[in-house]
Amino acid sequence: MKLFNFALVLSMFLAFTMGCQESTPAQPEDFTGQVDRASILEGDSRWANAFDELQIDEEHAVALSAVEPGAHIDVYLGVWCPDSVREVTRLWKALDMAGEVPFSVDYLGLDRTMKSGVDSIDDSVEQFDIITVPTFIVYRGDEEVGRVIEKSPTTIEKDLLDLLTGVRTGKISATR
């Protein structure tokens, strides 16, 4: 009988704690490592609200679909960071407006200590001198063309378009 009571109490405890875990709001550390747009928008209402409310530069957004194929963008972000919320949601809105684009994008989430919990990403944070988020690094082949750091001086869609088309190279930032 005692074994039955223990098993009953244990199963009730597990059911309760598992239910609590499912309803617990997402925490910043839940968005480290390789992250994706859908998870962030579903898991953090600040991102969803920002995405829904912003207006973008349509001309530059649409032009993203016409850049030379083969580029890649790594986006280092922090879900806890207001600059990431502003700039990354803006990029998402621009990509939606552009439709199919001839480049790829990876999103790499970092915590407040600039760590992802994934060795290869943490190595790249150090190797590529990522000191603030968001940082958007544009590559052609294996070569870095340039990056937008923390805050775009114009709009993220224009500055990334300039890097993707070769109009600009190097570091672009409104704060550096």
Side-chain angles (χ1 to χ4, degrees):
M1 183 69 171
K2 285 184 181 182
L3 183 58
F4 175 76
N5 286 341
F6 175 75
L8 179 62
V9 169
L10 180 61
S11 66
M12 289 173 56
F13 172 76
L14 290 174
F16 174 75
T17 57
M18 290 175 80
C20 289
Q21 289 172 351
E22 290 172 8
S23 63
T24 302
Q27 299 299 309
E29 58 271 11
D30 295 334
F31 300 104
T32 57
Q34 191 86 27
V35 295
D36 64 82
R37 171 182 167 166
S39 297
I40 293 172
L41 289 175
E42 291 170 11
D44 192 317
S45 62
R46 293 170 306 139
W47 285 71
N49 292 340
F51 180 79
D52 290 341
E53 294 173 4
L54 60 80
Q55 300 294 314
I56 61 166
D57 176 345
E58 292 182 31
E59 177 186 347
H60 291 106
V62 170
L64 289 170
S65 66
V67 301
E68 183 181 331
H72 176 77
I73 302 173
D74 278 340
V75 180
Y76 293 85
L77 62 95
V79 294
W80 45 268
C81 172
D83 292 330
S84 290
V85 174
R86 180 191 60 248
E87 300 294 341
V88 176
T89 56
R90 213 179 154 86
L91 171 63
W92 291 340
K93 196 77 135 189
L95 291 175
D96 286 353
M97 184 165 284
E100 191 170 326
V101 293
F103 54 89
S104 59
V105 183
D106 282 326
Y107 301 97
L108 309 158
L110 305 176
D111 65 18
R112 292 178 188 273
T113 66
M114 303 304 282
K115 298 289 183 196
S116 71
V118 177
D119 288 342
S120 62
I121 295 172
D122 291 342
D123 289 346
S124 72
V125 167
E126 188 172 314
Q127 177 184 355
F128 299 119
D129 197 27
I130 309 297
I131 56 173
T132 60
V133 288
T135 296
F136 302 78
I137 303 178
V138 176
Y139 298 93
R140 285 245 173 236
D142 292 334
E143 297 292 317
E144 179 179 330
V145 173
R147 58 178 68 192
V148 180
I149 304 168
E150 195 171 9
K151 182 176 183 190
S152 170
T154 58
T155 65
I156 195 65
E157 56 273 24
K158 180 185 181 326
D159 290 332
L160 287 175
L161 179 66
D162 286 351
L163 291 172
L164 288 162
T165 58
V167 169
R168 289 189 69 179
T169 60
K171 296 179 181 177
I172 301 173
S173 179
T175 58
R176 304 223 172 265

